[in-house]
Amino acid sequence: FEETYRDDGYAALHAVKLAVGERNAAGGVAGRQVALVALNDNGRPDEAAMQAAKLGVDRDVLGVVGPLREATGAAAGPVLTADGLPWLSLSDQHSDDFVPPAEFVAAYRSVAGVDPTPQAALAYDAAIRLLDAMERAGRSGPLTRDTVSVALGQSDR
């Protein structure tokens, strides 16, 4: 959340915090509250891979939204995948075509104090997709990385 991509990092962080906060206020995921872990890769591939490895060690981490950039996604992706962590890279999504719902824009403004960037809207959408997959996984059995991955693969988005 520093250096070159600081603004994008904070925009995505506010958006994911908003999604997690909304889900927790509505009862959480499969009746459990969700905790957000945010790590900074400083926009550097080597740092992204190192941070991804940290996430992989914590078995309570069930999914990842990010990385934000293609280069950091290319570095972190294999590490996340090797650890069985489902992840939604924001670098794969195209913000030009995405129109955020008006409710999101208003809620984001109330959290961040500014209008959401396209990156924030994509991060929010990805967080909702991951939380929905976690909910489906938790309703049908144990909530694990594997069950979240399967539920995410069955997503209609």
Side-chain angles (χ1 to χ4, degrees), residues 1-11:
F1 302 100
E2 301 304 326
E3 299 182 19
T4 306
Y5 302 112
R6 181 181 200 280
D7 292 341
D8 287 344
Y10 276 105

Side-chain angles (χ1 to χ4, degrees), residues 16 29 32-39 51-66 79-88 130-131 134 143-149:
V16 174
V29 168
R32 300 179 207 141
Q33 295 292 289
V34 177
L36 171 65
V37 176
L39 299 175
Q51 297 294 9
K54 287 180 184 178
L55 292 172
V57 171
D58 186 345
R59 299 312 291 176
D60 289 332
V61 175
L62 298 178
V64 174
V65 173
V79 177
L80 295 169
T81 301
D83 286 330
L85 261 169
W87 61 288
L88 296 169
L130 181 59
L131 292 165
M134 291 169 67
L143 190 54
T144 67
R145 290 176 178 183
D146 288 338
T147 60
V148 172
S149 289

Side-chain angles (χ1 to χ4, degrees):
F1 302 100
E2 301 304 326
E3 299 182 19
T4 306
Y5 302 112
R6 181 181 200 280
D7 292 341
D8 287 344
Y10 276 105
L13 177 62
H14 290 310
V16 174
K17 278 184 178 180
L18 175 62
V20 169
E22 289 172 348
R23 186 60 55 105
N24 282 339
V29 168
R32 300 179 207 141
Q33 295 292 289
V34 177
L36 171 65
V37 176
L39 299 175
N40 181 12
D41 63 23
N42 290 317
R44 294 190 348 243
D46 61 327
E47 187 70 23
M50 186 171 57
Q51 297 294 9
K54 287 180 184 178
L55 292 172
V57 171
D58 186 345
R59 299 312 291 176
D60 289 332
V61 175
L62 298 178
V64 174
V65 173
L68 299 176
R69 302 275 171 234
E70 190 173 329
T72 52
V79 177
L80 295 169
T81 301
D83 286 330
L85 261 169
W87 61 288
L88 296 169
S89 173
L90 298 178
S91 67
D92 296 340
Q93 301 183 37
H94 302 286
S95 59
D96 300 339
D97 303 330
F98 186 74
V99 178
E103 304 84 36
F104 163 70
V105 173
Y108 184 90
R109 254 189 232 129
S110 72
V111 170
V114 296
D115 284 344
T117 63
Q119 193 74 36
L122 291 174
Y124 180 82
D125 185 60
I128 294 298
R129 287 179 52 214
L130 181 59
L131 292 165
D132 287 348
M134 291 169 67
E135 179 65 34
R136 285 191 304 279
R139 275 187 276 144
S140 63
L143 190 54
T144 67
R145 290 176 178 183
D146 288 338
T147 60
V148 172
S149 289
V150 169
L152 194 57
Q154 296 170 342
S155 176
D156 60 347
R157 291 197 215 185

